[in-house]
Amino acid sequence: MFFFTVYGIIKYNLFQGGQIMKSKKIVMGILAHVDAGKTTLAEAMLYKTGKLRRAGRVDNGDTLLDTHSLERERGITIFASQAVFSVNSTEITLLDTPGHVDFSAETERTLRALDYAVLVISGLDGVQPHTRTLWKLLGYYNIPTFVFVTKMDFARLTKGELLASLKNELDGNFTDFDSNERDEELAMCRDDLLEKYLAGEKVTDAETAQLIRSRLCFPCLFGSGLKFDGVDEFLDAVDRYTLMPEYPEVFGAKVFKISHDKADRLVHLKVTGGKLSVRDTVKHGTTQSKISQIRIYSGEKYITAESVCAGTVCAVTGLDEIKNGQGLGFEASSSEPVLEPVMNYRIVLPDGCDPQSFMAKLRLLEEEEPLLHVKWNSHLQEIYVGLMGEIQTEILKSLIAERFGIEVNIDSGKVLYKETITQKVEGVGHYEPLRHYAEVHLIMEPLPRGSGLVFESKCSEDNLDRNWQRLILMHLAEKEHLGVLTGSPITDIKITLAAGRAHIKHTEGGDFRQATYRAVRQGLMQAQSKLLEPYYNFRLKVPNEYIGRAINDIRMFSGTFDPPEESDGMSLLKGKAPVITLNPYAAQVASYTGGRGSLVFENAGYDDCHNSEKIIEEAGYFPESDLENTPDSMFCAHGGGFSVKWNKVTEYMHLESCLKKEIPFTPAVNHRNLHIDDKELEAIMEREFGPVKYNLFRPKAREVQQEKHVDFEKKSQCIIVDGYNVIFAWDDLKELAEQSLESARNRLMEILCNYAAFTHYNVIVVFDAYNVAGSQANRFDYHNIHVVFTKERELGDVYIQKLVTEIGKNENVRVVTSDALIQLTSVQAGVLRMSAREFEEEVDSVHAKIGEVLKNIKEKTPKTNIGEIISE
Ligand SMILES: Nc1nc2c(ncn2[C@@H]2O[C@H](COP(=O)(O)OP(=O)(O)OP(=O)(O)O)[C@@H](O)[C@H]2O)c(=O)[nH]1
Ligand SMILES: [Mg+2]
């Protein structure tokens, strides 16, 4: 991320003939939640290995690793930094990372360079929510990990409790390396070792190192960074049980950080193959550049080297085109990061500050922190950046002031939405003003949530030269492509270059940029799009008496959750809810529980937006008016170029459609007009309630047809009734319920039977059994209606929501409830809803009509039983 220091040059006497001669070289990152004691532990290691004569203190602002003025002022690490030291024959490059969630993107990028990690746990706090996030990241990047539990001088929890919480909360084979049972525990990690152990053999150091490297075992050591306790033992374990990766002869490197000092742009990388020397030429894409200087940093100081071998972490100057996350040589570039900001902030410039020249400066910071995603909204003339939270906002303000001398303000953040597609389409872009030519065909298909954008080429080189193909892939990757619902970035889509055409004389590089961007947007215009929003996984702990309120709130937030867990008078609710709803909730929890409750959350990626219709409407985005992101194409006729609308492009394109060859053309579906047909509805009903039975009370077609003024549609109408909600909303039933709930239920069921008989509707009445201990889900047919009793701990409205969401947009389904949340779900699902009161009026009117029919029939026949008459 941002890196700005005053550098000094020191001599490094290990350099002989330009290369470090050491038997083992490993790169180790140090990770933990904020304030766990990482920097203090790193300082202790440097002191213990003789790298420092005196260990610095974070609290005094004099550590080797926290060197930036903002870090020293605040006593927190903001930028990853490194130190190199040796233990016996092992040379360790230690990368210290920030622990605050707001800077976790910097931490994630550092993982690219690591051979090993030390996960630091504070003996005071144990496993924290952010520890779980880091643990998942370590798994995702497959990094072997040591655990050091620090602050044991001050710990609230015992060693046993800490180990148990590691094992319970993080899923891994954590082994206490100080325990008598250590060998046995190690042997248990692999069958062949267990056999040997049972035969009396010990687990060797080499075998232990392999177990650790393959993440079958995670060694745990305990101590205190501040008091230097357990630090020697930890260093000894690292020396004994780590293996140096095997690097190929051919050159490769991974870029994990970009920074700037006063004069130079620094590219921080780890060499992963061959060697790198000053004046080497590094190729990337279609350009190449020369290494001017190689620096090996320790804190803010560095030594220069002529040449470095694989396994070295260094900063080089001269590679001005190289981007963060890029792979050099044989290394591929990194995919999209797992952690990313979910909030968008507006930067407000002081009077007289020119936005255009400020944007150029901000781009420098964006090189260091690509996740800033700096955006210029030309329409509003405003600048937006993506940030992780309030602390990062403050730090960005300070950095802008320090580096550019500009005092900006940053508005409170807004959630960052994304968009994706739900079906496979082919996007076509053609760009042919006079003496230009390019045509691009892209197959775009949805990927699972969290996949990001994936680009691939399946285009034959016979049809399009490899260089043009590379260029198209580069254009796909270089731009933040915007969706057509709200103009938010797109994600979770695989874009495959299926075909393309260049002109032997007229095609220029820029033509393919135009054709590619247009093809993406043309594809999006055809596809059914979907809005996504960021979610948190949350853990909400409240005193038992507040669990009802907590459940209600989470449901109001459109969250989902597991059944609450109870212990010691507290209930724990775990689940997932939209970031926008949870962000302000922590303060409310503290307030309604009198400070006894707590809410913690971690990013859970993007998922379907809970109120997409509202957000789409508010965004007021008209994709066809967004001229910078046009879906239209340019063709040429009679010596002049002309524009062709996106929905006509296929009629003009020069190459055949690629998708047409794969699957028959399916017309575009507008996301606002989805209906399921009777058959689908029937299938859902059958699955929920068994085969459709033709009921005894079916009215005669003749009689229903006679009732011309009854304005119900005579097709598969379905009415879902929230049983208790209606009982407590209708005065008669409410009165009855006060005496006997069962009688009220039976009465409602009777009323609904008559209603169903007359209207010929499919009626489902749902009764909530959430608070009924031991109750099993029960579904049965009562005469001509379906009755559902939910199971214990399943809320009736949760069941209705599920059913409504499953049925989806359908104007033939109505939900009767006054419950705001179900009403909301129904609106989102596009299903019609009706309040209990409105339904009462409808039932009354049906009742009146039944009376009329009865009267008519009575005049002709002496029968009096309505059921009998209607079932005839
Ligand atoms: N008692 C005690 N205090 C410690 C120990 N290690 C660190 N601390 C204190 O804990 C606080 C945080 O320590 P740091 O080393 O800055 O923690 P960090 O994990 O690097 O923090 P960030 O980089 O900001 O995430 C400081 O006040 C340290 O003095 C320890 O072993 N014992
Ligand atoms: Mg630190």
Side-chain angles (χ1 to χ4, degrees):
M1 206 165 110
F2 323 110
F3 198 92
F4 182 67
T5 46
V6 180
Y7 299 97
I9 301 177
I10 54 166
K11 283 236 175 324
Y12 193 76
N13 56 16
L14 282 169
F15 272 79
Q16 308 259 301
Q19 291 218 12
I20 298 177
M21 302 312 291
K22 279 275 164 189
S23 57
K24 187 163 84 175
K25 226 172 147 63
I26 60 157
V27 181
M28 189 159 205
I30 180 160
L31 284 84
H33 72 87
V34 68
D35 270 352
K38 296 176 290 296
T39 305
T40 305
L41 176 65
E43 212 70 10
M45 288 193 238
L46 294 172
Y47 170 70
K48 282 290 193 176
T49 52
K51 184 84 192 175
L52 289 176
R53 258 182 285 141
R54 188 182 66 83
R57 283 283 303 265
V58 176
D59 315 278
N60 301 337
D62 62 355
T63 59
L64 179 115
L65 292 159
D66 284 349
T67 51
H68 192 280
S69 54
L70 288 171
E71 298 182 310
R72 293 195 159 168
E73 265 167 38
R74 288 167 184 263
I76 59 166
T77 305
I78 301 169
F79 312 109
S81 55
Q82 82 179 66
V84 187
F85 61 88
S86 296
V87 187
N88 302 325
S89 60
T90 307
E91 183 198 282
I92 300 171
T93 303
L94 192 71
L95 298 178
D96 186 23
T97 65
H100 197 287
V101 213
D102 281 14
F103 307 110
S104 49
E106 173 90 346
T107 302
E108 181 177 352
R109 280 192 292 273
T110 312
L111 298 187
R112 268 177 71 70
L114 302 188
D115 302 323
Y116 287 88
V118 193
L119 182 65
V120 177
I121 307 285
S122 149
L124 206 60
D125 313 316
V127 174
Q128 294 289 302
H130 192 49
T131 321
R132 277 189 288 274
T133 306
L134 294 170
W135 181 248
K136 281 186 210 151
L137 274 185
L138 290 168
Y140 180 81
Y141 288 93
N142 199 19
I143 299 171
T145 303
F146 288 74
V147 174
F148 187 83
V149 184
T150 193
K151 299 196 185 179
M152 286 307 284
D153 57 316
F154 207 46
R156 260 199 311 242
L157 304 165
T158 64
K159 219 167 134 174
E161 284 168 340
L162 285 158
L163 258 178
S165 91
L166 276 168
K167 287 181 186 170
N168 287 342
E169 302 203 40
L170 313 178
D171 182 28
N173 232 333
F174 295 97
T175 309
D176 178 2
F177 261 42
D178 200 20
S179 143
N180 297 335
E181 278 120 51
R182 174 179 127 170
D183 269 11
E184 187 185 324
E185 282 188 37
L186 287 175
M188 303 273 275
C189 296
R190 233 174 50 198
D191 289 352
D192 58 325
L193 298 182
L194 186 60
E195 269 174 40
K196 276 165 74 179
Y197 179 77
L198 292 176
E201 276 185 55
K202 281 197 156 239
V203 180
T204 66
D205 281 6
E207 285 163 344
T208 307
Q210 275 163 7
L211 285 178
I212 296 169
R213 183 150 83 184
S214 45
R215 290 178 47 90
L216 289 173
C217 155
F218 302 97
C220 298
L221 292 106
F222 294 77
S224 155
L226 193 68
K227 301 276 153 68
F228 307 128
D229 286 345
V231 177
D232 283 332
E233 290 80 354
F234 177 73
L235 288 168
D236 181 54
V238 171
D239 176 37
R240 277 170 71 176
Y241 306 123
T242 50
L243 300 168
M244 180 165 167
E246 282 169 20
Y247 296 110
E249 293 284 308
V250 47
F251 170 70
K254 290 176 180 174
V255 176
F256 68 94
K257 178 183 169 106
I258 304 284
S259 66
H260 295 86
D261 72 1
K262 277 199 174 121
D264 296 294
R265 180 180 190 268
L266 298 167
V267 174
H268 299 252
L269 51 85
K270 179 194 177 194
V271 184
T272 53
K275 62 177 188 141
L276 187 67
S277 306
V278 173
R279 287 176 297 280
D280 273 358
T281 301
V282 176
K283 284 196 195 130
H284 38 90
T286 49
T287 54
Q288 51 186 35
S289 38
K290 222 177 210 177
I291 306 267
S292 328
Q293 196 184 42
I294 300 178
R295 301 175 180 181
I296 296 178
Y297 275 94
S298 257
E300 62 185 335
K301 298 190 172 130
Y302 66 85
I303 51 114
T304 56
E306 272 301 301
S307 181
V308 285
C309 59
T312 309
V313 174
C314 56
V316 299
T317 62
L319 302 184
D320 289 345
E321 303 291 316
I322 298 287
K323 299 211 168 80
N324 214 333
Q326 208 162 327
L328 307 180
F330 72 85
E331 285 287 0
S333 296
S334 63
S335 49
E336 282 182 49
V338 177
L339 304 178
E340 54 180 352
V342 293
M343 304 289 283
N344 212 9
Y345 292 75
R346 183 169 69 114
I347 297 192
V348 185
L349 299 179
D351 287 347
C353 179
D354 168 39
Q356 296 302 339
S357 61
F358 178 77
M359 277 295 283
K361 296 187 170 92
L362 205 55
R363 294 276 178 216
L364 288 179
L365 292 182
E366 192 183 28
E367 283 197 341
E368 299 172 14
E369 175 48 277
L371 295 181
L372 277 183
H373 289 301
V374 175
K375 262 189 236 112
W376 167 247
N377 184 325
S378 55
H379 177 59
L380 299 171
Q381 297 277 301
E382 285 175 346
I383 298 169
Y384 289 88
V385 289
L387 296 170
M388 297 270 197
E390 297 303 317
I391 300 283
Q392 196 190 5
T393 310
E394 281 178 38
I395 298 294
L396 180 64
K397 267 203 281 194
S398 305
L399 274 172
I400 292 173
E402 183 188 288
R403 278 170 76 161
F404 314 126
I406 301 172
E407 301 282 341
V408 298
N409 264 320
I410 301 186
D411 272 5
S412 58
K414 291 202 179 101
V415 155
L416 272 167
Y417 291 91
K418 291 196 182 191
E419 294 179 26
T420 192
I421 54 173
T422 61
Q423 83 208 107
K424 193 169 180 176
V425 288
E426 176 174 353
V428 181
H430 187 100
Y431 187 68
E432 192 188 356
L434 190 61
R435 280 191 276 284
H436 288 268
Y437 188 96
E439 181 163 312
V440 171
H441 289 236
L442 304 171
I443 303 290
M444 301 168 70
E445 52 197 312
L447 290 177
R449 287 293 87 81
S451 309
L453 291 177
V454 176
F455 310 117
E456 192 185 272
S457 176
K458 276 201 180 147
C459 179
S460 152
E461 284 182 27
D462 296 341
N463 298 332
L464 188 67
D465 189 79
R466 187 198 296 208
N467 280 334
W468 291 130
Q469 294 195 24
R470 273 214 210 110
L471 194 66
I472 294 170
L473 291 180
M474 201 179 91
H475 292 322
L476 281 174
E478 76 196 358
K479 184 176 170 18
E480 190 173 73
H481 302 280
L482 303 185
V484 293
L485 294 178
T486 58
S488 306
I490 52 169
T491 189
D492 300 343
I493 301 177
K494 181 173 176 189
I495 305 185
T496 309
L497 170 61
R501 180 181 275 182
H503 189 282
I504 198 137
K505 259 193 5 227
H506 296 324
T507 301
E508 290 172 10
D511 299 349
F512 271 111
R513 174 180 287 121
Q514 286 288 340
T516 307
Y517 292 179
R518 287 161 194 258
V520 172
R521 290 282 285 186
Q522 201 259 355
L524 292 172
M525 287 302 284
Q526 295 174 69
Q528 186 192 332
S529 288
K530 184 189 246 187
L531 194 66
L532 305 176
E533 71 177 321
Y535 277 71
Y536 281 140
N537 283 329
F538 68 85
R539 287 166 161 249
L540 173 58
K541 210 172 194 176
V542 291
N544 282 346
E545 61 267 34
Y546 294 109
I547 187 65
R549 152 114 203 227
I551 288 179
N552 223 22
D553 287 347
I554 297 297
R555 279 182 13 225
M556 287 300 288
F557 300 158
S558 303
T560 51
F561 49 86
D562 298 334
E565 297 163 25
E566 290 172 21
S567 81
D568 299 335
M570 299 291 278
S571 295
L572 174 67
L573 202 60
K574 287 192 243 172
K576 185 175 154 180
V579 165
I580 198 167
T581 59
L582 282 187
N583 260 343
Y585 189 54
Q588 288 176 36
V589 172
S591 139
Y592 76 72
T593 61
R596 287 189 294 153
S598 65
L599 174 71
V600 289
F601 34 70
E602 53 184 356
N603 281 345
Y606 278 76
D607 215 332
D608 297 2
C609 178
H610 79 286
N611 57 347
S612 54
E613 303 234 338
K614 179 170 172 265
I615 303 296
I616 293 169
E617 206 175 313
E618 280 174 6
Y621 181 72
F622 300 103
E624 288 174 274
S625 316
D626 185 350
L627 300 180
E628 281 172 32
N629 296 288
T630 178
D632 302 341
S633 276
M634 288 281 285
F635 286 82
C636 190
H638 312 300
F642 62 98
S643 177
V644 172
K645 277 232 105 30
W646 65 273
N647 50 1
K648 297 275 183 241
V649 170
T650 42
E651 293 168 24
Y652 287 79
M653 64 196 183
H654 294 179
L655 294 169
E656 250 197 331
S657 158
C658 304
L659 200 56
K660 228 181 192 168
K661 290 182 215 155
E662 275 182 41
I663 50 164
F665 176 72
T666 40
V669 187
N670 182 339
H671 74 282
R672 293 174 204 267
N673 281 326
L674 248 194
H675 302 277
I676 59 170
D677 61 21
D678 287 3
K679 266 215 177 107
E680 282 176 86
L681 182 58
E682 209 164 276
I684 293 174
M685 290 301 142
E686 268 201 51
R687 207 187 48 240
E688 282 291 313
F689 304 107
V692 178
K693 282 180 267 167
Y694 289 99
N695 52 53
L696 288 168
F697 295 83
R698 207 171 179 142
K700 272 187 177 173
R702 175 178 45 86
E703 281 162 10
V704 176
Q705 275 157 15
Q706 278 170 0
E707 284 299 315
K708 290 254 164 29
H709 46 277
V710 177
D711 44 19
F712 303 122
E713 244 185 289
K714 304 298 175 292
K715 55 195 289 199
S716 255
Q717 280 268 12
C718 174
I719 309 273
I720 306 169
V721 180
D722 183 349
Y724 288 128
N725 189 282
V726 166
I727 287 179
F728 291 106
W730 292 6
D731 294 341
D732 293 355
L733 291 181
K734 194 174 165 197
E735 222 169 84
L736 197 55
E738 274 155 19
Q739 295 149 28
S740 153
L741 200 56
E742 194 185 345
S743 312
R745 268 197 315 257
N746 290 342
R747 178 81 195 106
L748 176 63
M749 277 151 55
E750 287 298 336
I751 293 172
L752 293 176
C753 280
N754 278 343
Y755 174 78
F758 191 78
T759 58
H760 191 189
Y761 291 168
N762 233 317
V763 175
I764 304 166
V765 56
V766 181
F767 294 107
D768 187 314
Y770 182 81
N771 284 322
V772 185
S775 73
Q776 299 293 319
N778 193 4
R779 294 171 203 176
F780 56 91
D781 286 353
Y782 179 77
H783 300 303
N784 56 342
I785 63 169
H786 304 298
V787 182
V788 177
F789 281 89
T790 61
K791 57 179 181 282
E792 185 191 2
R793 299 227 169 259
E794 184 183 26
L795 294 154
D797 38 10
V798 170
Y799 176 89
I800 296 178
Q801 278 177 43
K802 255 185 356 210
L803 197 62
V804 164
T805 315
E806 191 178 1
I807 291 169
K809 289 182 194 281
N810 198 299
E811 58 196 19
N812 295 333
V813 178
R814 279 188 291 171
V815 177
V816 177
T817 181
S818 297
D819 181 302
L821 191 69
I822 308 180
Q823 288 207 355
L824 197 73
T825 317
S826 311
V827 177
Q828 283 155 17
V831 162
L832 300 176
R833 73 272 173 216
M834 189 180 228
S835 73
R837 242 334 131 227
E838 288 164 334
F839 186 56
E840 189 176 15
E841 279 168 24
E842 184 172 312
V843 169
D844 283 351
S845 100
V846 168
H847 201 75
K849 277 162 198 149
I850 293 174
E852 277 174 37
V853 174
L854 208 61
K855 210 171 120 218
N856 286 341
I857 298 169
K858 243 188 192 169
E859 283 164 10
K860 294 175 200 156
T861 150
K863 285 179 187 165
T864 50
N865 183 308
I866 175 80
E868 247 173 83
I869 292 164
I870 292 177
S871 65
E872 252 180 24

